[in-house]
Amino acid sequence: MRLFVSEGAPGTLPVLAAAGRAQGRVELLISTVGPEECVVPFLTRPKVPVLQLDSGNYLFSTSAICRYFFLLSGWEQDDLTNQWLEWEATELQPALSAALYYLVVQGKKGEDVLGPVRRALTHIDHSLSRRSCPFLAGETESLADIVLWGALYPLLQDPVYLPGFDTLFIPMPTEELGALNSWFQTLSSQEPCQRAAETVLKQQGVLALRPYLQKQPQPSSFEGRAVSNEPEEEELAALSEEEIALAVAAWEKGLGSLPPLQPQQSPVLPVAGERNVLITSALPYVNNVPHLGNIIGCVLSADVFARYSRLRQWNTLYLCGTDEYGTATETKAMEEGLTPQEICDKYHAIHADIYRWFNISFDIFGRTTTPQQTKITQDIFQRLLARGFVLQDTVEQLRCERCARFLADRFVEGVCPFCGFEEARGDQCDKCGKLINATELKFREGSTPGPAIPIPAVLPWVTPSLNFPSQKPQCKICRSCPVVKSSRHLFLDLPKLEKRLEEWLEKTLPGSDWTPNARFIIRSWLRDGLKPRCITRDLKWGTPVPLEGFEDKVFYVWFDATIGYVSITANYTDQWERWWKNPDQVDLYQFMAKDNVPFHGLVFPCSVLGAEDNYTLVKNLIATEYLNYEDGKFSKSRGVGVFGDMAQDTGIPADIWRFYLLYIRPEGQDSAFSWTDMLLKNNSELLNNLGNFINRAGMFVSKFFGGFVPEMVLTSDDRRLLAHITLELQHYHQLLEKVRIRDALRSILTISRHGNQYIQVNEPWKRIKGSEADRQRAGTVTGLAVNIAALLSVMLQPYMPTVSTTIQAQLQLPPPTCSILPTNFLCILPAGHQIGTVSPLFQKLENDQIESLRQRFSGGQLEESLALKAKAGPKPAAAGTMTTAGPEQIQVLMDEVTKQGNIVRELKAQKADKNQVAAEVAKLLDLKKQLALAEGKPLETPKGKKKK
């Protein structure tokens, strides 16, 4: 029996889950085929999954294949199950196909995705609730459950589309779709379903379906449905009289109900009996300039939560710093002809300037190259050693004979043994994310020589070799082929610490706010079993190993980099142990991209659990997916994408960058920065929605009431609006307490839309010219609107701090209200309050402005930069002159020249149109020119006709 599946085909999920139940009862061979391969000879269109039976017959509908596996396991059919299967095929699948197509292929979000399936989800939820059974057909799981679960899983595994399913296999109580949530969680936690999900989605979430869905036609059932990025008019939820009464009571208390403002501490320290929040963002490598993805993945996300925590008056310490030790620093030092310390000093300042421009509110932005780092790291190591958690072993390691040194991981590049990526580093593959050992890298047949890194005189142990033949794997210093030799190293005995880690996770995860991807990654590591992990490296730039026989080694950067959080705090205050050795009173939130999860959720906890020194461990691990740039990845060497030091040169204010990055924050899946979308969000959400409302509310006070907030006489409609604003404010709090940063931003925009609709319906500009009652009504609407604007200014503070301050200055908010965000909507600008001068908050982004920026950051700035270097620098003459661009830039350009040359040859062989050939030849000549500039060579005079 043979099962044919295709990568990314949604129907594979329920089929594999059903096959898991028939395991041992049938011999099954699984074959992967392309989405366009016709497996069933008598079908006119390709179809997967397909089950070829031993008789030679085929089953090619998902439900039929699942039914077959269930029958093999002894399941008996029933009418209710058959009814559910019919409903799934006729009602659910068309709607679900449209939703997945909109989400994965068209990149739509939110209601555009949820809209087609909302009715179907409600039907399932009501059916489960009405029958009071855990499963669709009764008390036990049936075929219907597996088929519907498999159909829904790609969509509902993202908590955005199933409210309450916020954590991996840990349900959150929720009233909305509660029965569906419980049913989905129960099935998702079962072993066959877990294995099926991991096999099909491969830790990529719904994006794993993209290659398959892109080859499918747009679902016909929903082709006529208009899909728009613009928000639809909000439907106000029904309110109880009690909710309205509570909202009005809170409003009337006004400023008197605000808690007293806590004095600011310096240094910030935990206080017994109060909420103490310690926040870290992943330490950026000091050897590069952060791009927008780095900024949103770590520092900006953490900054939003830190600012929110301060608005709640929690004792909040937010720290970060540059990760300065390790191979990456040595490599960069070689490239730039500087010492490692000089590189650290240079790039630490660059990072600090970038984060300052983005208005990141660190309490301290430190470094890991400090005496405190050495002291604390060595102490933790010695405690681990004394307790038997450190092993010694001889390992096979790559050594470069030409450089006369063992090569640390990042000094080696080769072919990934797992996915075949040809530029994998010796510690981790950037494509598949797997951790690897340098000796596992494969050789690539027929690899072409690549440029060597220029070797400066400040690194005397290296013999320069600019033209040594290269293979894969390669020494990144001289591009020669390293040999395998033995080296003695120290290992952290993770298997011995595994039980402690699991006990800690069992205590920590329930009720915590670990993101689903973080839970999944740690669970995957534990499922495979932990292995001893090397914690030393043959380097000179790092924390010394305090053990006889290992004096020539340093600690592996991912053993001591996470200890950097502790040492940075120790440099901030000598009372650092009150934060880091106080697990009962401190809530530790750590922000990072998903590739850092193993080190923060596993390596560091194991290290300090083994040290047995009462260290504070992460309570809430917040990991983002990846942010891509337009249709590809950020690349400094190719000049693609916006990097932190470039954003301030675009003329777009920092708060606009903050807003858009947070709006597209990759919470449940990878997302992409888009110039077009940035223009749309700025012009629609900021200019036309938020800015328009706040400006109108303030201008009405200035124009109609002389700058003083008018008297407010609330009607029943006004009281309902108070209750709606209060509920949305409370929803904002709930989301940010769960670190749902992107969704909480939507609450701000929802409130401003409510405000715009309120003004539009009541038309105060007309009423002010009418009767006394009309003028009074205009005053009420204006007073209520300007109070909503005041509330929004505080809610905006974590997201757009400069805009927040500007609004507060325009409205002249009382000082306490700027620093405290209450849980209820209060009247903080009472009648008679005088506001300041009101002016527009946002500027429109124009198409030509954005198109210019798109071109500039699509690789154009690389050519610009190289041309400037060539113009400013001395004329290149002798061979062997130092190159004017880095080796990565040169290699990229060489690859582009080769690729473009092949295009030209193919066109000429096909005798293509001369104009088309000429255009491609022009591109080739331009690339060759860029390459010559990058290599520091004189530009050749083009051959051909001379000028007359």
Side-chain angles (χ1 to χ4, degrees), residues 308-597:
Y308 172 72
S309 297
R310 295 180 190 121
L311 285 175
R312 297 298 301 274
Q313 298 208 85
W314 300 334
N315 297 307
T316 303
L317 181 67
Y318 175 27
L319 63 95
C320 186
T322 41
D323 178 7
E324 301 190 352
Y325 282 135
T327 318
T329 305
E330 284 195 6
T331 306
K332 194 69 174 177
M334 292 177 186
E335 289 179 2
E336 296 197 14
L338 299 171
T339 65
Q341 186 62 61
E342 288 170 339
I343 280 291
C344 292
D345 294 342
K346 172 184 173 180
Y347 280 92
H348 175 82
I350 290 172
H351 277 265
D353 286 343
I354 289 168
Y355 303 138
R356 195 177 299 114
W357 187 80
F358 273 95
N359 218 339
I360 306 299
S361 62
F362 301 123
D363 290 290
I364 180 171
F365 183 70
R367 316 175 64 164
T368 57
T369 50
T370 65
Q372 287 282 12
Q373 173 75 4
T374 301
K375 179 182 176 182
I376 296 171
T377 300
Q378 290 183 345
D379 177 67
I380 290 174
F381 165 73
Q382 286 170 335
R383 294 180 71 90
L384 287 166
L385 184 67
R387 288 159 177 76
F389 295 121
V390 177
L391 306 173
Q392 294 187 24
D393 199 6
T394 301
V395 299
E396 298 295 301
Q397 196 172 342
L398 293 176
R399 177 180 171 86
C400 179
E401 297 295 350
R402 193 167 191 87
C403 298
R405 65 181 296 183
F406 283 103
L407 298 176
D409 299 337
R410 284 176 177 256
F411 280 120
V412 186
E413 282 184 351
V415 178
C416 174
F418 300 102
C419 71
F421 180 56
E422 294 185 349
E423 295 178 11
R425 303 192 310 266
D427 60 345
Q428 189 173 24
C429 175
D430 284 335
K431 185 174 181 183
C432 68
K434 290 188 181 294
L435 298 179
I436 50 184
N437 290 316
T439 53
E440 296 174 334
L441 293 172
K442 296 181 180 179
F443 289 84
R444 178 163 68 94
E445 296 295 330
S447 60
T448 56
I453 297 174
I455 310 300
V458 295
L459 300 169
W461 66 84
V462 178
T463 305
S465 173
L466 299 180
N467 298 300
F468 197 84
S470 76
Q471 294 175 309
K472 297 271 182 144
Q474 296 176 344
C475 166
K476 282 192 69 174
I477 304 167
C478 69
R479 295 299 181 189
S480 65
C481 182
V483 296
V484 178
K485 289 200 172 180
S486 297
S487 180
R488 194 82 177 160
H489 280 282
L490 299 173
F491 290 75
L492 183 62
D493 194 349
L494 291 177
K496 200 170 179 180
L497 291 160
E498 187 167 354
K499 185 177 179 184
R500 295 189 188 199
L501 179 71
E502 288 180 335
E503 289 173 352
W504 168 69
L505 287 170
E506 284 174 8
K507 243 172 47 175
T508 301
L509 289 182
S512 74
D513 293 315
W514 282 47
T515 50
N517 56 357
R519 293 170 183 271
F520 182 88
I521 290 166
I522 295 301
R523 186 169 56 81
S524 299
W525 275 63
L526 289 171
R527 181 197 60 205
D528 297 338
L530 299 184
K531 299 174 180 59
R533 188 76 187 162
C534 189
I535 60 171
T536 51
R537 287 293 182 268
D538 288 295
L539 285 175
K540 299 185 184 301
W541 186 246
T543 302
V545 178
L547 186 64
E548 186 178 350
F550 292 86
E551 295 89 350
D552 59 339
K553 301 185 191 300
V554 298
F555 284 114
Y556 176 35
V557 68
W558 269 117
F559 172 71
D560 79 333
T562 47
I563 300 171
Y565 301 121
V566 185
S567 72
I568 288 169
T569 311
N571 281 296
Y572 169 71
T573 173
D574 58 4
Q575 300 180 68
W576 62 271
E577 292 186 354
R578 289 175 62 181
W579 282 110
W580 284 103
K581 294 185 180 181
N582 191 3
D584 295 332
Q585 294 184 8
V586 173
D587 292 338
L588 173 58
Y589 287 76
Q590 297 199 286
F591 290 77
M592 67 205 69
K594 63 183 178 183
D595 55 339
N596 281 332
V597 168

Side-chain angles (χ1 to χ4, degrees), residues 289-292 294-295 634-636 640-647 857:
V289 177
H291 57 64
L292 297 181
N294 304 136
I295 290 167
F634 291 86
S635 172
K636 189 78 170 179
V640 174
V642 182
F643 286 72
D645 55 345
M646 302 170 180
F857 292 104

Side-chain angles (χ1 to χ4, degrees), residues 117-131:
V117 294
R118 186 180 292 281
R119 182 175 296 178
L121 297 179
T122 303
H123 173 68
I124 299 171
D125 182 71
H126 286 175
S127 298
L128 289 164
S129 300
R130 191 168 56 249
R131 290 174 53 82

Side-chain angles (χ1 to χ4, degrees), residues 357 646-654 656-657 843 845 849 853 856:
W357 187 80
M646 302 170 180
Q648 54 195 300
D649 297 328
T650 60
I652 298 173
I656 306 301
W657 286 104
Q843 290 185 336
L845 292 178
Q849 174 191 5
L853 290 169
R856 176 180 165 191

Side-chain angles (χ1 to χ4, degrees), residues 770-820:
S771 65
E772 182 63 31
D774 281 338
R775 288 196 296 275
Q776 186 184 73
R777 183 64 189 149
T780 299
V781 172
T782 300
L784 186 47
V786 79
N787 270 280
I788 295 172
L791 171 66
L792 288 171
S793 76
V794 186
M795 294 175 72
L796 268 174
Q797 205 265 4
Y799 293 89
M800 306 178 78
T802 302
V803 170
S804 169
T805 302
T806 301
I807 300 168
Q808 291 167 1
Q810 291 183 8
L811 301 183
Q812 294 193 6
L813 261 66
T817 64
C818 300
S819 303
I820 302 174

